[in-house]
Amino acid sequence: MSRIRIAAEEAFAPPELLDRYRQLLEAATGLDPGFVSLWGHYAGKSSQATQLVARIQDLGDGRLRDMDDSGIAKQILSLSAPGVQIFDAATATGIAASCNDQLAEAIRRHPDRFAGLAAIAPQDPATAAKELERGVGRLGLKGAIINSHTSGEYLDDRKFWDIFEAANALGVPIYLHPTTPPPAMIAPFAESGLAGAIYGFAVETGLHMLRLITSGVFDRFPRLRMVAGHLGEALPYWMFRVDFMHRAMVASGRHPRVGRLERKPSDYLRENFYVTTSGMAWQPVILFAQSVLGADHVLYAQDYPYQYVPEEVKVTDNLPISDSDKHKLYQENAEKLFGL
Ligand code: 1DF
Ligand code: MN
């Protein structure tokens, strides 16, 4: 049986953005230490970094060849972490728009191979909402990507909810992609070298997901759909304990921000979130995620070019699941979620 594989968390970064990152790293003091740990490495001179930077800029033949070599029919592209979220609001807004234009152009050249998510600047929520509307309405993008916290601020803060309002009205999902922990959280991660994709990403983004759930975002926007990578940043594993402790905390009135919700925390995770397998080509956890979230809410992703392993799809090809669930994982769920 021939199989279409769609990969849903695939990164690009135009030279314009990478140049800005390099300028920041050279000039600025007082930079976010997480940004320095990430792009201080990737903007460097190691052969791994050089190869990564070459791949991430390429929206043409090189990328298509890698997709062919790894069995990927279509990438859903998004601007690499931390995207524009480390710049001031005006700079971030301008770069987001330019990156979205370039992404749309690449998709126009290869409509059968690429789809994309809009970069937005949460620093200016009203303008971010407008850019999401432009990205979807005029550029044909399929949702937004937000690289977790913005200068230590989380989207449960109501000042950001214009963005949810726009996504909800457009009926498009928001991909909550990881980034390094913010300054107030990063010290024990950074000193041990664990701030990045090895672990810090997941801790920080899992926290962000749980903050969204417990703050009541999904009671205000019950149909809002969000996407998390890395099989849900470990939260699926925590559902039982979170439900138990949430119930106990609500009953005792233990904290003013842990209040009554219309559904159990795990219900929001199962109903409002979709997860992708990015970076998690490991059968036991994919099966676990499917079993607790449902096969309709788990999508394939590769995390190109950060975790590019050409033979990786063997793992998912060989999952002991029905053909119909495999079709959902590779194709059907992505087509439905992103409206491809
Ligand atoms: C890494 C991984 C970097 C992911 C990323 O963006 C990223 C990494 C800067 O390995 O350093 O998107 N990832 O999603 O796992
Ligand atoms: Mn990623």
Side-chain angles (χ1 to χ4, degrees), residues 9-11 78-81 145 147 175 177-178 197 201 229-230 233 278-279 302-307:
E9 185 196 305
E10 316 309 318
S78 49
L79 194 65
S80 185
I145 182 138
N147 295 292
Y175 204 121
H177 186 279
F201 274 24
H230 317 98
E233 312 295 358
S278 56
Q302 194 173 65
D303 219 343
Y304 181 92
Y306 292 104
Q307 221 164 320

Side-chain angles (χ1 to χ4, degrees), residues 218-219 221-222 246 261-265 267-268 271-272:
F218 301 107
D219 285 339
F221 302 105
H246 186 266
L261 296 170
E262 287 174 23
R263 293 176 265 159
K264 294 197 298 295
D267 292 335
Y268 302 96
E271 293 162 18
N272 295 94

Side-chain angles (χ1 to χ4, degrees), residues 73-235:
K74 181 175 270 193
Q75 286 191 342
I76 300 174
L77 292 159
S78 49
L79 194 65
S80 185
V84 300
Q85 289 166 248
I86 50 162
F87 303 117
D88 66 82
T91 305
T93 296
I95 298 176
S98 165
C99 290
N100 291 336
D101 290 341
Q102 294 175 60
L103 175 55
E105 179 53 36
I107 296 165
R108 272 193 293 276
R109 284 195 298 270
H110 303 287
D112 50 333
R113 303 305 302 276
F114 297 144
L117 303 177
I120 56 177
Q123 296 92 320
D124 178 351
T127 308
K130 288 265 178 294
E131 180 61 13
L132 177 54
E133 286 163 10
R134 185 185 79 95
V136 173
R138 300 241 297 272
L139 302 179
L141 301 174
K142 304 301 182 185
I145 182 138
I146 299 180
N147 295 292
S148 201
H149 76 87
T150 305
S151 296
E153 295 190 314
Y154 288 84
L155 298 169
D156 53 87
D157 187 325
R158 277 170 176 66
K159 76 180 186 185
F160 293 116
W161 288 18
D162 279 0
I163 297 170
F164 295 133
E165 190 91 57
N168 202 46
L170 293 162
V172 297
I174 297 175
Y175 204 121
L176 193 69
H177 186 279
T179 194
T180 41
M185 181 181 183
I186 201 172
F189 293 90
E191 72 185 15
S192 53
L194 302 177
I198 187 170
Y199 194 61
F201 274 24
V203 174
E204 198 276 337
T205 310
L207 170 70
H208 199 160
M209 294 166 65
L210 197 52
R211 286 181 64 132
L212 293 177
I213 289 171
T214 54
S215 69
V217 167
F218 301 107
D219 285 339
R220 171 67 187 79
F221 302 105
R223 288 173 29 253
L224 180 66
R225 295 168 301 163
M226 299 202 62
V227 192
H230 317 98
L231 287 173
E233 312 295 358
L235 267 200

